[in-house]
Amino acid sequence: MKKKILAVVVALAAFVGLFASQPVQKQSIQAAKTTKTAKKTTKKAKTKQIRVTYTLKDTTKAKNKQTLAKKTFKVKKGTTVFTVLKKAWKVNYTKSSYGIFITKIKGLGNKKKKLYWTYTVDGKMPMVAADKQKLTKNKSNVVFTLKKY
């Protein structure tokens, strides 16, 4: 009788030990997968962020190309030039079928005096409105210039 009880206890202990250790292993594997996924997501998030510098210049003053303001931003790759501009400064604009037309930035601009804003991205003037121009390159330089036309 003692041998039967001992055999049952040993079998029960082995049975409990076998099943008790399996969920712990699954949890460890799942935790490792979650950590790897989190690292990949963080890397992807970092690669989608780009750094962009915005500069406002005024060429209507005696000191030609006077810099009014300069700010650097981290933005999501593919963000439009206009989206960042609106976050940085107060912007007045009108909408048309071609896109937005910027009339004032920081209160500067004057239709009656023919003072208008133009912009360049990395030294090149895009052929689209600022709300259609996407930022794709890291360390890009966007320059908005107030000019008389």
Side-chain angles (χ1 to χ4, degrees):
M1 178 79 173
K2 287 183 180 182
K3 287 183 181 180
K4 284 184 181 180
I5 292 174
L6 184 60
V8 170
V9 169
V10 170
L12 186 59
F15 182 76
V16 170
L18 177 68
F19 287 106
S21 67
Q22 282 186 353
V24 172
Q25 289 174 349
K26 286 182 183 178
Q27 287 175 353
S28 297
I29 292 169
Q30 184 62 34
K33 285 181 182 177
T34 304
T35 303
K36 285 180 184 177
T37 304
K39 285 180 182 178
K40 284 181 184 177
T41 304
T42 304
K43 278 186 179 179
K44 285 181 183 177
K46 284 182 182 178
T47 59
K48 289 184 180 181
Q49 292 285 319
I50 59 173
R51 175 169 261 140
V52 182
T53 301
Y54 275 63
T55 306
L56 300 181
K57 291 188 175 186
D58 184 354
T59 61
T60 64
K61 304 288 182 193
K63 295 179 181 177
N64 203 14
K65 296 187 180 183
Q66 177 185 8
T67 299
L68 303 172
K70 192 172 189 174
K71 293 183 181 181
T72 300
F73 304 92
K74 281 187 179 178
V75 298
K76 184 178 176 184
K77 188 175 184 176
T79 302
T80 67
V81 168
F82 185 63
T83 301
V84 180
L85 180 68
K86 285 191 316 185
K87 290 180 182 180
W89 297 286
K90 184 177 190 261
V91 180
N92 296 39
Y93 59 94
T94 58
K95 293 181 181 181
S96 76
S97 59
Y98 299 106
I100 59 96
F101 178 73
I102 298 166
T103 55
K104 291 184 180 183
I105 302 174
K106 291 180 62 171
L108 298 172
N110 190 325
K111 187 176 179 180
K112 289 180 183 177
K113 292 184 180 181
K114 298 183 180 182
L115 300 177
Y116 298 103
W117 287 97
T118 61
Y119 79 100
T120 60
V121 179
D122 296 325
K124 297 178 184 176
M125 188 176 288
M127 300 308 291
V128 295
D131 64 326
K132 306 220 184 293
Q133 180 65 41
K134 294 185 178 183
L135 298 165
T136 58
K137 185 179 156 195
N138 191 32
K139 298 182 182 177
S140 285
N141 290 302
V142 178
V143 179
F144 277 87
T145 306
L146 184 62
K147 294 183 178 184
K148 185 170 184 166
Y149 288 95

